[in-house]
Amino acid sequence: LLNVAKGEQEAEPAQFWRTRNGTADEHTSFTVAYALCMAAKMCGFDVDYSLVWNMTHGSNEGTSTGTFTDWVHSISDIIV
């Protein structure tokens, strides 16, 4: 993604990116997902990144940040 953002490499990554990480996740650092999303944003892609307070690994969808289904519905209006 960073090479695409700098114009050094041609690729067609996904236009829309979404990730949710729980702040209490003991298995994955939320900084990894954040860095990936920031790279996608640097490429001009639509990024929806959020931390979910006090959630662990795998239970970080939550409704406080919207559901995955809601997000897919919102971007499908843009794609169509």
Side-chain angles (χ1 to χ4, degrees), residues 19-48:
T19 185
R20 296 295 182 268
N21 290 86
T23 60
D25 191 338
E26 298 173 349
H27 303 287
T28 305
S29 170
F30 60 82
T31 57
V32 172
Y34 182 77
L36 182 60
C37 285
M38 290 301 97
K41 192 156 190 76
M42 288 174 61
C43 289
F45 300 126
D46 185 284
V47 174
D48 182 3

Side-chain angles (χ1 to χ4, degrees), residues 5 16 18 21 25 42 49 53 55 61 63-65 73:
F16 299 94
R18 180 182 194 271
N21 290 86
D25 191 338
M42 288 174 61
Y49 171 85
W53 184 251
M55 290 288 190
E61 177 64 21
T63 56
S64 64
T65 62
H73 180 69

Side-chain angles (χ1 to χ4, degrees), residues 2 17 28 31 39 60 68 71:
L2 294 178
W17 295 70
T28 305
T31 57
N60 51 22
F68 178 74
W71 177 74

